[in-house]
Amino acid sequence: MEKIVIDNKLDPNFKYEIAAKPGGENIKKCFACGTCTAGCPVFHVEHEYNPRKIIRMILLGMREQVLSPMVIWLCAQCYTCSANCPQDVDFSDIMFALRDMAVKEGYAPPDLLEKIDKITTAANEFRRDSIYAILKEGDISMDKRYG
Ligand code: SF4
Ligand code: SF4
């Protein structure tokens, strides 16, 4: 016999709220091709973070399941997903909206965004210094400026 699962926590308005946010206009056009996930640098180091899956969960109304996990804070806001989407879904801006909702609805501490900005700056500084260090190890003379 077919089993029917009823989840009382599903929120049918969730996708409309996201669609009303800047960048969320095209979310209902997603046809689940997975191009966003395939090009996402975060997915390649953490498979729990899956843009395609997050969009399906939004469309199904899984508000709490989308807003509460730690993985939504991993997005690097690189816009690769938005640039590659064949349906013009702007997932990077959708992630901005999700984070904003997560803070406003008490799923995350209010100062988390500020802390993540500091981590991003520190990570970029580490990347810059590491690349310069590797290049300085070589025998080829290079200047770090243009001109
Ligand atoms: S690339 Fe666009 S259409 Fe494809 S799954 Fe991602 S959001 Fe949906
Ligand atoms: S903006 Fe976020 S979700 Fe999109 S590709 Fe970059 S890290 Fe992945």
Side-chain angles (χ1 to χ4, degrees), residues 36 39-42 49 51 74-82 91-92:
C36 49
C40 175
V42 174
Y49 182 82
L74 294 180
C75 174
Q77 310 288 176
C78 69
Y79 281 94
T80 304
C81 51
S82 305
F91 186 71
S92 195

